[in-house]
Amino acid sequence: MNKGDLFYIASGLERASEVALLCAVLEKRGMHPTYKWWLHGGVQNEGPTRIAEVAEAEIDGVERARVVIVLLPGGRGPHVELGAALGKQLMFYKLEGFYDPCEIIVVGDTFMGKSTECAFYYHPLVRRIASVELLLAEVPHVDGCDCATCTVAA
């Protein structure tokens, strides 16, 4: 993950505030989100047209991202987005003969021997990281960033 990379964060609605905080830190480090679904929250009660718009925007966000982060635990949506990211990689490979340079990262201790883990967390194209702090340790700070506000605790 590098400055200038486009990223998408998939997670459950109940984690929207954590996702917003992680997004803010990644933006401070020079990365750019492809879609901020947490700004509008749940749309289940807004009718089929709005739900379809959001579904399309979320999949578009995954498709445009250089880094797809799945913050666990999540619900059905993040797992669909994980599948979309894997599908994007596999289709690119079939068409081009090599994998797109997109990173797919599952973050959380949910995959560490718990009954809620999913087989796709272990797909060879998925990287697993135990915590947001360890994820951020891999993202370089940018010149002029205020490291005191450039962490998840900010």
Side-chain angles (χ1 to χ4, degrees):
M1 295 188 300
N2 297 298
K3 178 181 176 184
D5 280 350
L6 296 174
F7 68 91
Y8 181 88
I9 304 172
S11 194
L13 287 168
E14 67 282 353
R15 303 206 58 196
S17 61
E18 294 169 75
V19 171
L21 184 58
L22 175 57
C23 177
V25 172
L26 293 174
E27 287 181 298
K28 286 180 185 177
R29 295 193 187 179
M31 298 177 70
H32 309 285
T34 56
Y35 185 65
K36 295 182 176 183
W37 54 265
W38 56 93
L39 294 179
H40 59 67
V43 295
Q44 296 86 344
N45 299 323
E46 296 182 26
T49 301
R50 177 67 175 138
I51 293 169
E53 290 170 357
V54 169
E56 189 173 5
E58 289 179 350
I59 293 299
D60 180 64
V62 170
E63 287 179 352
R64 292 187 305 113
R66 162 71 178 78
V67 179
V68 176
I69 300 165
V70 181
L71 186 59
L72 298 175
R76 293 183 312 264
H79 288 88
V80 169
E81 293 156 336
L82 172 60
L86 285 167
K88 167 188 162 181
Q89 287 287 66
L90 296 172
M91 184 59 70
F92 192 91
Y93 182 80
K94 286 179 181 180
L95 293 173
E96 302 295 333
F98 57 92
Y99 289 111
D100 180 52
C102 174
E103 288 184 79
I104 305 170
I105 304 168
V106 173
V107 180
D109 66 356
T110 303
F111 53 82
M112 305 191 84
K114 297 188 178 178
S115 62
T116 55
E117 65 191 351
C118 170
F120 294 102
Y121 303 163
Y122 295 91
H123 189 282
L125 294 175
V126 174
R127 195 157 57 98
R128 296 172 306 283
I129 298 178
S131 70
V132 170
E133 292 76 19
L134 290 172
L135 172 74
L136 289 176
E138 296 186 13
V139 182
H141 290 267
V142 295
D143 292 336
C145 102
D146 177 7
C147 292
T149 62
C150 195
T151 66
V152 233

